[in-house]
Amino acid sequence: MVCSLIESLFSMPGAMEKIGEKLKVRNFICQTFIFSYIWGLGGNINEDSREKFDVYVQSQFDDCADARLPPGQDLWYNFMDTQTHRLTSWQKLMPEYSYDKKVPFFDILVPTLDTVRFGYIMERLLYVGHPVLVTGDTGVGKTAVAKNVFNGLEKSGLFVAVTMNFSAQTSSVRTQEIIELKLERKKKTLFGAPVGKKVIIFIDDVNMPKLEIYGAQPPIELIRKRCYCTWHLVAL
Ligand SMILES: Nc1ncnc2c1ncn2[C@@H]1O[C@H](COP(=O)(O)OP(=O)(O)OP(=O)(O)O)[C@@H](O)[C@H]1O
Ligand SMILES: [Mg+2]
């Protein structure tokens, strides 16, 4: 996940332009690594451990001036702004909220620091084809954040977004059918995304399928190969 985040940040439009002198390039690379390291490792720890991780990482890079973190801010305060090549407050990415009467109540997403942060990391990872698994207590906003990211990616025109809800009754055959329906048949047994697009699949409530006789969950087995744990979402 650390490597995927670095790859994704470096490939953002403009990231490698106008950096200026060599020293700044070094600084940008070091800070991008730190940001990716914090999220790659720290994103998946629970709330109790976050403070310990913060204390540990704050002093870890003291010897390297380029990687030093801005003092007095917690680890999760900044994101790597690839336009200015500096760690910048997440506030910069926070959209203004305005109430729209036409949006159904359950589709309303009020931007918070966490919807912005988790949404951004999820989006960056999906851009480089890295699977994302979100865990967290019920009602913390996992579905809301993922839906918002998927809507945004679909609007970009680069992705075909598919949403599936797993339930106790979901079977592996049905799972395969739903995924294949969204793909184009390239050859007799080869399916793929429409030309120029990527298919991204959001599976909600992935833990739900009931266990089979040996204790496995067949729909999950089908997708397991492409799934890695990335972070733990806590209350918004
Ligand atoms: N930032 C937000 N703005 C508006 N509504 C939100 C926001 N975050 C969560 N909600 C609302 O809170 C409720 C619970 O959120 P959500 O369904 O995303 O939680 P969840 O983590 O997916 O829970 P579960 O594990 O039970 O599926 C939903 O009605 C959702 O619309
Ligand atoms: Mg949910």
Side-chain angles (χ1 to χ4, degrees), residues 15 18 26 39 43 49 62 78 93 97 128 145 154 195:
K18 299 187 196 131
R26 194 185 144 91
W39 281 91
S49 308
D62 275 350
N78 292 308
L93 296 183
Y97 176 69
V128 289
V145 170
E154 186 138 56
V195 180

Side-chain angles (χ1 to χ4, degrees), residues 28 33-34 36 52 55 62 90 101 107 118 127 133 148 156 158 164 176 185 194 204 206 210-211 222 232 234 236:
F28 174 52
F33 167 75
I34 299 284
S36 308
K52 289 182 212 159
V55 172
D62 275 350
W90 284 106
K101 265 198 284 193
D107 289 344
F118 289 110
Y127 263 105
L133 179 75
N148 189 46
S156 75
L158 299 170
M164 295 172 72
Q176 186 173 343
R185 193 183 282 271
D204 207 1
V206 76
K210 69 169 183 288
L211 307 187
L222 192 69
H232 184 78
V234 291
L236 296 176

Side-chain angles (χ1 to χ4, degrees), residues 71-228:
Q73 293 165 356
D74 77 27
L75 289 187
W76 289 274
Y77 186 83
N78 292 308
F79 77 106
M80 186 69 226
D81 189 335
T82 50
Q83 301 306 307
T84 60
H85 305 104
R86 284 166 191 280
L87 289 172
T88 307
S89 163
W90 284 106
Q91 290 291 345
K92 187 176 169 186
L93 296 183
M94 192 96 131
E96 193 73 37
Y97 176 69
S98 63
Y99 175 63
D100 181 352
K101 265 198 284 193
K102 284 178 229 130
V103 177
F105 180 74
F106 285 104
D107 289 344
I108 292 176
L109 185 88
V110 182
T112 67
L113 205 51
D114 280 323
T115 61
V116 170
R117 290 193 282 210
F118 289 110
Y120 181 87
I121 300 288
M122 183 187 277
E123 190 180 298
R124 290 309 345 140
L125 288 170
L126 291 174
Y127 263 105
V128 289
H130 190 90
V132 177
L133 179 75
V134 188
T135 62
D137 290 340
T138 180
V140 292
K142 301 182 293 294
T143 304
V145 170
K147 266 190 190 164
N148 189 46
V149 168
F150 271 61
N151 287 343
L153 290 177
E154 186 138 56
K155 273 191 207 134
S156 75
L158 299 170
F159 296 89
V160 177
V162 183
T163 299
M164 295 172 72
N165 275 79
F166 273 7
S167 72
Q169 270 63 47
T170 306
S171 66
S172 54
V173 175
R174 186 75 195 119
T175 306
Q176 186 173 343
E177 272 171 13
I178 294 175
I179 296 173
E180 284 179 0
L181 269 175
K182 294 288 173 181
L183 302 175
E184 279 177 9
R185 193 183 282 271
K186 306 279 177 190
K187 288 184 190 158
K188 201 164 172 233
T189 53
L190 183 73
F191 293 85
V195 180
K197 294 198 181 202
K198 284 184 184 170
V199 172
I200 43 171
I201 304 169
F202 167 39
I203 301 175
D204 207 1
D205 300 322
V206 76
N207 58 316
M208 293 299 279
K210 69 169 183 288
L211 307 187
E212 44 89 288
I213 184 166
Y214 301 107
Q217 291 163 288
I220 300 180
E221 302 305 329
L222 192 69
I223 56 169
R224 183 192 291 283
K225 225 178 114 206
R226 296 283 297 144
C227 221
Y228 310 90

Side-chain angles (χ1 to χ4, degrees), residues 17-81:
E17 287 154 32
K18 299 187 196 131
I19 307 185
E21 70 245 47
K22 217 171 167 184
L23 273 177
K24 276 198 184 152
V25 177
R26 194 185 144 91
N27 185 272
F28 174 52
I29 293 172
C30 285
Q31 303 265 315
T32 304
F33 167 75
I34 299 284
F35 173 76
S36 308
Y37 167 75
I38 291 169
W39 281 91
L41 276 113
N44 193 34
I45 55 182
N46 65 18
E47 213 171 4
D48 294 344
S49 308
R50 285 192 181 177
E51 211 178 309
K52 289 182 212 159
F53 184 70
D54 195 333
V55 172
Y56 175 70
V57 176
Q58 291 284 1
S59 58
Q60 204 182 3
F61 299 102
D62 275 350
D63 296 345
C64 175
D66 287 309
R68 217 166 281 152
L69 291 158
Q73 293 165 356
D74 77 27
L75 289 187
W76 289 274
Y77 186 83
N78 292 308
F79 77 106
M80 186 69 226
D81 189 335

